[in-house]
Amino acid sequence: MSGPLGATLAQGGVNFSLYSRDATGIELLFFDQPDDPKPSQTIVLDPVFNRTYHYWHIFLSGIQPGQIYGVRAHGPFDPSRGLRFDPSKVLLDPYGRAVVVPVQYSRVAASQAGGNTSTAMKSVVVDPSAYDWEGDVPLKRPSARTIIYEMHVGGFTRHPSSGLASEKRGTFAGLIEKIPYLQELGITAVELLPVFQFDVQDCPSEKVNYWGYAPVSFFAPHQAYSSRQDPLGPVNEFRDMVKALHRAGIEVILDVVFNHTAEGDHKGPTVSFRGLDNNAYYILEDDRARYANYTGTGNTLNANHPVVRRMIVDSLRYWVQEMHVDGFRFDLASILTRDAAGQVLPNPPVLWDIESDPITAGTKLIAEAWDAAGLYQVGSFIGDSWKEWNGRFRDDARSFFRAEEGSVARFADRFVGSPDLYGHKQREPEQTVNFVTCHDGFVLNDLVSYNRKHNEANDEGNRDGADDNRSWNCGVEGPTDDPAVERLRNRQVKNFLAVTLLSVGVPMILMGDEVRRTQHGNNNAYCHDNELSWFDWSLVAKHADVHRFVTLLNQRRLMRTVEHERQRKTLIELIQRANKSWHGVKLGQPDWSSSSHCIVLNVEMKEDGLLVFLIMNAYWETLEIELPPATHNGQSQWRRWIDTGLDSPMDIVPWRSAPPIAGAAYQAQARSVVVLLADLKAASV
């Protein structure tokens, strides 16, 4: 049968099907071990009986789950026509559900002339139904009560300080053992850096691709993230992780890379797609011999080609239906708006396919709404339900807290959900995903410790990585023993975490920021699978005050009302109906000038029964802020919940036990965030 694509178990055997328009012949190769020098069996598909349209297919009896297999595709090698067939190469099945990697896997062998049978990655037959989910179902958490924790599966537990057995470090199983930490922290979703099988050798010589933005399969979990190394181990261990996270109330969001593959440019390896149908899978330049490079990685996936569109949607459906994930973050999602010529489409079919598909429609869909060629669509990404990584929030929050001129008005807009970006679409307040740091760029500790990137360890002459970091080192470049500088850095870290978790939208924090993990100024650690990138668990005790600060912020965040989400109120409706007012040092006198570095927001939260008075002071001196009256029976009802200018444990307290404060003004210390509360039912404003 020509469908479904991939290796599908049927009664008594397996049906194999793959797409190749221009192939003249296809062979299926079966192996006993990943590094076998030759196949144990070769099946030649008959172009008459085993081909329907451009689908090559065959049913073979007796094949069992766990069978290792590969593909050889015969056809012309004519780059001027976009054809790159090479029958000497063993190819992965684009729909393969699992991948095995030989110990001696070689990207070089896949790039050069000649065979690579023993060193090629290979696919594995999987029975998706052979797993007991024990009643597990997607959590479908409201976005208003979602807190995303962006993390790297390997880096989370690979450090020796994790306390795990060596065989579990850096694996799905290792992550399971650290779920209690995530629960205590209070996050509700993990956003996992790429877990699709990727090529760790897609990197400069002597380095390793650590982040995983180098996919070779869109259906198979990364084999090296499994403590089980049998052919089916990674599939089941990934499912164990999802099931365990769901039991803990934590959703699983995958960072997916549908913009390029690890096959690289015209000099790159033949691993799968280019060897089967180069013209279909990639956007090619006019000469057809070279690859369009809107991704900065050498090639660009032709996402709006019908076959590629179907593969993307099929992949997402598989991860939802068979692997039970809760959502996806799309890397360089603006690539998906381009057609085969690289032009931007007004209504990209693949984006509408994804959001309108009945299976993916109920998941969290998050776009990184830009690409590496300058296309920037934050606030204008196509679709009715896509959320967006708000890069403007990151930039404007950084600018504000380093006291940049002209930043206060922009930052205030970001804090209330970026209505200038999202108001026109009449969308929900949670369309914006707010973050200050992510895997790409400075970690939070380094944002307040370095003025410049320090990427020398990448061996690229410090030319790689972003130059526009909007960082401030608080007076000293790098580590310091100066207690005053260290206190200021700690305060700035808490300021950034506070505004991220208090703002309107979906907050996202980066793994380790809650304990001030450092990369020593490296803002592009994609090639470091070592202690530079790993979570150092000794920091949990060292920076216990920051960890506590985040934990208490998260606890309150999870109490947020979701009524507006149920009623489908838009961001603009929420803002218009909110009883809020902006202030400065004096009530009713907000300073929006370019020289202003302080803004104050007073808001009535009727559903929570609270008045909130929020002071964000990025000025380098203490400011006396006039307070509105909040009295009951003549007694002051303002209570101090947060003041990052105070030492722990007074920097934040459990919000229900916030201590009262007296006086008609509050001393907001230099570079601090203050949150005061009053009971609405007892207030008279």
Side-chain angles (χ1 to χ4, degrees):
M1 296 186 296
S2 56
L5 287 163
T8 307
L9 268 79
Q11 189 168 3
V14 174
N15 188 75
F16 295 88
S17 178
L18 56 85
Y19 177 90
S20 181
R21 174 176 178 169
D22 295 308
T24 58
I26 294 290
E27 297 174 79
L28 277 177
L29 315 174
F30 295 98
F31 299 89
D32 296 327
Q33 300 296 329
D35 54 358
D36 283 348
K38 61 181 181 179
S40 58
Q41 186 180 13
T42 299
I43 306 295
V44 179
L45 275 63
D46 189 303
V48 175
F49 296 105
N50 299 121
R51 181 172 183 172
T52 303
Y53 184 56
H54 304 315
Y55 297 98
W56 297 77
H57 53 88
I58 190 170
F59 176 81
L60 298 173
S61 60
I63 303 296
Q64 298 293 322
Q67 175 64 58
I68 300 170
Y69 71 100
V71 178
R72 280 203 180 109
H74 296 261
F77 183 83
D78 187 354
S80 66
R81 293 194 293 138
L83 302 174
R84 291 184 174 272
F85 291 98
D86 183 352
S88 71
K89 297 294 185 288
V90 175
L91 307 177
L92 290 171
D93 177 358
Y95 275 69
R97 266 56 173 179
V99 170
V100 291
V101 183
V103 174
Q104 298 301 319
Y105 164 70
S106 173
R107 181 176 174 86
V108 172
S111 304
Q112 297 177 343
N116 69 333
T117 303
S118 65
T119 63
M121 290 186 255
K122 301 169 183 71
S123 301
V124 181
V125 175
V126 173
D127 180 3
S129 67
Y131 184 79
D132 185 1
W133 279 105
E134 300 179 283
D136 178 79
V137 294
L139 297 181
K140 296 188 180 296
R141 271 189 173 272
S143 294
R145 289 183 181 168
T146 293
I147 304 168
I148 298 173
Y149 188 75
E150 191 199 29
M151 66 182 298
H152 188 284
V153 170
F156 191 52
T157 62
R158 201 161 281 167
H159 198 282
S161 63
S162 68
L164 302 185
S166 58
E167 66 272 13
K168 286 192 175 181
R169 293 177 195 164
T171 68
F172 301 127
L175 194 155
I176 292 172
E177 294 203 17
K178 291 296 186 179
I179 287 177
Y181 173 82
L182 299 174
Q183 285 182 293
E184 180 190 6
L185 186 62
I187 59 92
T188 69
V190 290
E191 183 175 301
L192 305 180
L193 264 67
V195 297
F196 292 178
Q197 182 65 47
F198 60 88
D199 184 356
V200 296
Q201 296 180 12
D202 185 8
C203 212
S205 178
E206 307 302 322
K207 300 295 180 183
V208 62
N209 191 306
Y210 170 69
W211 284 351
Y213 293 93
V216 296
S217 171
F218 298 111
F219 293 83
H222 189 57
Q223 174 251 9
Y225 289 161
S226 175
S227 63
R228 293 177 48 186
Q229 289 301 296
D230 59 287
L232 298 176
V235 178
N236 289 330
E237 190 167 314
F238 178 89
R239 290 164 150 181
D240 291 343
M241 177 194 69
V242 172
K243 184 165 59 176
L245 284 164
H246 283 177
R247 285 175 174 169
I250 298 172
E251 291 185 308
V252 179
I253 299 171
L254 301 186
D255 190 338
V256 292
V257 186
F258 291 115
N259 56 75
H260 75 282
T261 78
E263 290 187 309
D265 62 16
H266 61 287
K267 297 179 181 179
T270 299
V271 177
S272 178
F273 310 98
R274 81 168 65 201
L276 287 169
D277 201 315
N278 193 55
N279 281 307
Y281 285 109
Y282 295 111
I283 298 178
L284 303 179
E285 297 286 9
D286 291 340
D287 65 2
R288 311 304 294 169
R290 307 247 174 175
Y291 295 85
N293 186 18
Y294 300 108
T295 63
T297 61
N299 65 48
T300 305
L301 208 62
N302 191 7
N304 283 290
H305 185 285
V307 169
V308 185
R309 279 169 55 194
R310 182 185 304 115
M311 179 184 68
I312 291 172
V313 173
D314 285 348
S315 168
L316 297 173
R317 289 171 63 98
Y318 176 77
W319 287 97
V320 173
Q321 289 183 301
E322 303 296 347
M323 308 297 267
H324 284 209
V325 304
D326 303 274
F328 306 92
R329 177 266 187 187
F330 291 74
D331 178 62
L332 297 183
S334 290
I335 292 291
L336 304 184
T337 70
R338 295 186 183 271
D339 64 14
Q343 299 300 308
V344 179
L345 296 165
N347 284 291
V350 69
L351 294 183
W352 290 109
D353 286 352
I354 292 168
E355 98 163 40
S356 63
D357 185 88
I359 303 301
T360 58
T363 63
K364 290 179 171 67
L365 302 175
I366 303 170
E368 183 186 36
W370 55 82
D371 68 15
L375 181 59
Y376 195 80
Q377 297 177 314
V378 172
S380 62
F381 197 74
I382 298 299
D384 293 334
S385 63
W386 290 83
K387 302 182 190 305
E388 296 176 20
W389 262 27
N390 191 344
R392 301 291 190 198
F393 182 98
R394 172 199 60 207
D395 296 344
D396 292 335
R398 291 182 177 194
S399 295
F400 176 74
F401 279 112
R402 71 171 186 170
E404 199 173 290
E405 292 289 303
S407 61
V408 67
R410 297 196 312 271
F411 171 68
D413 200 78
R414 300 294 158 255
F415 189 79
V416 295
S418 297
D420 65 329
L421 294 175
Y422 300 111
H424 68 287
K425 296 190 79 171
Q426 295 297 301
R427 287 281 302 279
E428 73 282 0
E430 288 76 27
Q431 185 180 0
T432 171
V433 176
N434 298 331
F435 66 102
V436 173
T437 58
C438 64
H439 68 278
D440 189 3
F442 277 143
V443 297
L444 190 51
N445 179 81
D446 295 358
L447 185 68
V448 302
S449 303
Y450 295 89
N451 283 350
R452 304 178 306 279
K453 66 185 182 184
H454 294 267
N455 297 356
E456 290 80 9
N458 296 0
D459 296 334
E460 297 183 43
N462 207 34
R463 294 183 300 272
D464 63 307
D467 293 313
D468 180 16
N469 295 291
R470 306 190 190 199
S471 60
W472 178 50
N473 65 16
C474 298
V476 177
E477 187 75 356
T480 180
D481 294 326
D482 187 326
V485 173
E486 181 58 23
R487 282 197 301 272
L488 177 55
R489 288 177 177 175
N490 218 44
R491 190 184 317 155
Q492 287 284 72
V493 164
K494 292 174 183 177
N495 290 340
F496 282 120
L497 290 167
V499 297
T500 301
L501 288 159
L502 293 172
S503 60
V504 175
V506 177
M508 184 185 82
I509 58 178
L510 174 64
M511 176 188 87
D513 277 356
E514 75 279 11
V515 294
R516 291 186 58 182
R517 184 178 75 86
T518 181
Q519 292 178 172
H520 306 294
N522 192 315
N523 74 351
N524 189 34
Y526 75 102
C527 57
H528 293 282
D529 187 4
N530 53 45
E531 293 191 13
L532 182 75
S533 298
W534 299 341
F535 189 113
D536 181 349
W537 288 87
S538 70
L539 297 175
V540 178
K542 181 177 181 180
H543 294 293
D545 65 314
V546 179
H547 182 272
R548 173 182 175 275
F549 188 83
V550 177
T551 299
L552 289 176
L553 274 171
N554 287 342
Q555 286 178 6
R556 182 63 187 90
R557 178 92 193 188
L558 295 180
M559 298 177 188
R560 283 198 171 190
T561 179
V562 297
E563 199 59 31
H564 70 275
E565 196 167 344
R566 295 194 184 102
Q567 296 176 1
R568 297 182 180 273
K569 288 183 180 179
T570 67
L571 172 63
I572 296 302
E573 287 176 324
L574 195 70
I575 291 174
Q576 288 174 343
R577 295 180 184 181
N579 186 1
K580 67 175 179 61
S581 53
W582 294 102
H583 307 278
V585 174
K586 298 293 184 181
L587 290 174
Q589 298 179 35
D591 184 357
W592 301 112
S593 69
S594 62
S595 60
S596 173
H597 303 295
C598 178
I599 192 66
V600 178
L601 176 63
N602 191 28
V603 62
E604 181 181 284
M605 299 172 61
K606 289 184 179 179
E607 294 87 351
D608 297 287
L610 287 176
L611 286 175
V612 178
F613 195 73
L614 193 147
I615 305 167
M616 293 172 283
N617 179 23
Y619 193 51
W620 45 88
E621 294 182 9
T622 297
L623 296 176
E624 184 174 89
I625 307 297
E626 187 178 355
L627 297 178
T631 61
H632 181 62
N633 296 330
Q635 298 296 316
S636 172
Q637 296 298 298
W638 285 119
R639 296 175 285 119
R640 185 183 63 234
W641 176 36
I642 295 172
D643 185 341
T644 62
L646 300 177
D647 291 333
S648 183
M650 298 310 296
D651 55 343
I652 185 171
V653 298
W655 77 280
R656 293 187 188 277
S657 58
I661 61 169
Y666 191 89
Q667 300 292 317
Q669 295 189 43
R671 306 186 192 275
S672 66
V673 171
V674 177
V675 182
L676 307 179
L677 307 174
D679 293 329
L680 186 59
K681 62 183 178 180
S684 174
V685 180

